[in-house]
Amino acid sequence: MATHADPLSALTKPNIGVFTDPAHKLWVSESGPSLEEIKKGDSLKPGEVTVGIKSTGICGSDIHFWHAGRIGPMVVENDHILGHESAGVVLATHPSVTHLKVGDRVAIEPDLICYQCEPCLTGRYNGCLNMRFLSTPPVNGLLRRYVNHPAVWCHKIGNMSFENGALLEPLSVALGGMARAQVALGDPVLICGAGPIGLITLLCVAAAGAEPIVITDIEQSRIDFAKELCPRVRGYKVERGVGPEDAAKQIVEAAGGVQPKVALECTGVESSINSAIYSVKFGGKVFVIGVGKPDMQIPFMRLSTQEIDLQFQYRYANTWPRAIRLIESGVVQLEKLVTHRFDLEDAVKAFETAADIRSGAIKVQIQSEVDSAAW
């Protein structure tokens, strides 16, 4: 039997990935690096490690790239591998890598940055002018059995489960929003959208001591799920046909008459953003985490006369060590979010489940087996 010192000789499963294309097809097929390249080790570049991917979450952006073929200027133009929420085990290291070893459990931060532009040099590398973000076209994603990735972006997770390791990426999104929105102890907070990002944001603002907290969604089942996660949250079901101003009044009522100081908007939907703008107090803030359509109409004079700050987020930077500490300590507990699990070979079914609101799915994860003889 192979040991952790020599895991590559035990690998027998070929590398496969989850693809989409401009015709909106979705399929599982052979992918690179090939099993032969992995065993030889000649595909590793200086600073890289080979990771056997164990768990990968399906993000809303993955669904967008499959269904719409684009998010803003980022367009699927060729066969394209999805996925950027992943954790796994180190199978091989380039000789130049010294801080990781074979057998280490890691979560992958899916950035490839230049280290030379102003955002990189000032620590806001999510704005790298030469960013190559895995799963964003044309850069292939992590929904594969094996990947090579820079070791600097592979964060050790110790004995943390691979499921939780894969959830570090959406947790990082929430933490990035929390930091820039400056949510403080006792702040009244509105969260728009009870999808995975909204729910993780809920857990974070609750841990930060926000009160009261209101969460909105168009589906009562998701509001009910939010209350299971955080019993003190107040839910508001968005009814179709209700305008933003009326919805805002009802949101404030749900908060016991307290206007939110901060709204964390996690849907990217125009009507939801506008409801948040009408909800917050004078001098408040609407912080948009969600991804939406390229152009929107917003109530400009409401923002102006109420001195409401409207801010936006693009991914995250410097959040992963903090996210790891929060999960390891139990301050934030994400286990309940994973409602559905599929094998890598069944990824098409996994995506269909994640895209179907009737499935009741919150976070769908795709799991891959690295040969049991090796681990």
Side-chain angles (χ1 to χ4, degrees):
M1 178 181 293
T3 67
H4 285 195
D6 180 28
L8 297 182
S9 62
L11 298 181
T12 60
K13 295 180 182 293
N15 199 6
I16 56 176
V18 183
F19 292 79
T20 190
D21 67 7
H24 312 297
K25 297 176 183 175
L26 188 72
W27 72 97
V28 178
S29 184
E30 285 192 24
S31 172
S34 69
L35 180 60
E36 182 180 4
E37 289 172 329
I38 291 168
K39 286 192 170 188
K40 287 182 177 179
D42 54 10
S43 65
L44 275 178
K45 300 175 183 176
E48 286 188 339
V49 297
T50 299
V51 180
I53 301 296
K54 298 288 285 184
S55 291
T56 301
I58 296 178
C59 176
S61 65
D62 294 317
I63 304 295
H64 275 290
F65 283 130
W66 168 33
H67 281 174
R70 69 183 301 158
I71 296 176
M74 299 166 283
V75 182
V76 176
E77 297 180 338
N78 299 289
D79 292 355
H80 179 65
I81 300 175
L82 299 164
H84 57 267
E85 303 177 4
S86 297
V89 61
V90 175
L91 298 176
T93 64
H94 188 274
S96 59
V97 175
T98 58
H99 74 285
L100 291 177
K101 65 181 184 302
V102 172
D104 281 343
R105 299 158 70 93
V106 295
I108 299 176
E109 187 170 352
D111 311 279
L112 298 171
I113 65 173
C114 72
Y115 300 96
Q116 297 178 350
C117 66
E118 181 178 341
C120 285
L121 295 176
T122 56
R124 298 184 67 182
Y125 58 82
N126 54 314
C128 173
L129 302 179
N130 303 292
M131 170 71 77
R132 299 175 67 241
F133 190 88
L134 273 66
S135 82
T136 296
V139 185
N140 282 324
L142 293 170
L143 264 172
R144 289 176 269 176
R145 181 167 282 126
Y146 316 112
V147 298
N148 294 335
H149 196 67
V152 69
W153 300 119
C154 294
H155 301 274
K156 292 182 183 180
I157 59 173
N159 294 323
M160 183 187 302
S161 71
F162 292 117
E163 284 192 359
N164 273 345
L167 287 167
L168 289 169
E169 199 278 343
L171 176 55
S172 284
V173 174
L175 292 178
M178 285 272 295
R180 293 191 58 227
Q182 297 180 317
V183 175
L185 187 70
D187 280 350
V189 171
L190 167 66
I191 299 169
C192 300
I197 295 297
L199 293 169
I200 294 174
T201 300
L202 166 62
L203 291 172
C204 290
V205 300
E211 178 61 29
I213 308 169
V214 177
I215 194 165
T216 71
D217 205 89
I218 60 174
E219 295 290 334
Q220 184 62 45
S221 61
R222 292 206 161 186
I223 293 173
D224 294 341
F225 192 92
K227 290 182 178 179
E228 290 180 19
L229 287 179
C230 178
R232 66 184 174 90
V233 72
R234 307 166 188 220
Y236 171 70
K237 184 177 183 294
V238 179
E239 301 291 348
R240 299 185 188 280
V242 176
E245 291 185 75
D246 289 335
K249 292 176 183 177
Q250 294 169 23
I251 287 168
V252 173
E253 288 176 6
V258 179
Q259 284 185 281
K261 179 182 178 182
V262 177
L264 295 160
E265 211 298 316
C266 301
T267 73
V269 175
E270 180 178 311
S271 59
S272 181
I273 294 171
N274 290 342
S275 294
I277 291 171
Y278 282 113
S279 297
V280 298
K281 65 192 292 185
F282 182 91
K285 178 179 293 186
V286 175
F287 192 90
V288 183
I289 298 173
V291 174
K293 61 185 182 180
D295 300 294
M296 297 186 187
Q297 289 187 327
I298 59 171
F300 175 86
M301 287 308 298
R302 167 71 181 181
L303 292 165
S304 176
T305 60
Q306 296 298 300
E307 292 190 1
I308 296 168
D309 293 335
L310 179 61
Q311 287 185 269
F312 298 86
Q313 175 173 346
Y314 190 57
R315 298 176 181 147
Y316 39 73
N318 306 305
T319 54
W320 290 68
R322 192 152 44 107
I324 291 169
R325 291 195 298 269
L326 288 171
I327 291 183
E328 285 181 334
S329 65
V331 172
V332 175
Q333 299 181 27
L334 304 181
E335 291 85 356
K336 291 182 180 179
L337 292 172
V338 181
T339 55
H340 294 72
R341 300 164 180 83
F342 293 85
D343 292 335
L344 180 58
E345 291 82 358
D346 298 325
V348 173
K349 180 64 175 176
F351 269 78
E352 291 171 347
T353 301
D356 185 358
I357 191 68
R358 297 168 299 179
S359 70
I362 299 296
K363 175 58 71 174
V364 177
Q365 285 200 356
I366 294 173
Q367 299 173 337
S368 175
E369 286 299 322
V370 177
D371 296 79
S372 58
W375 306 102

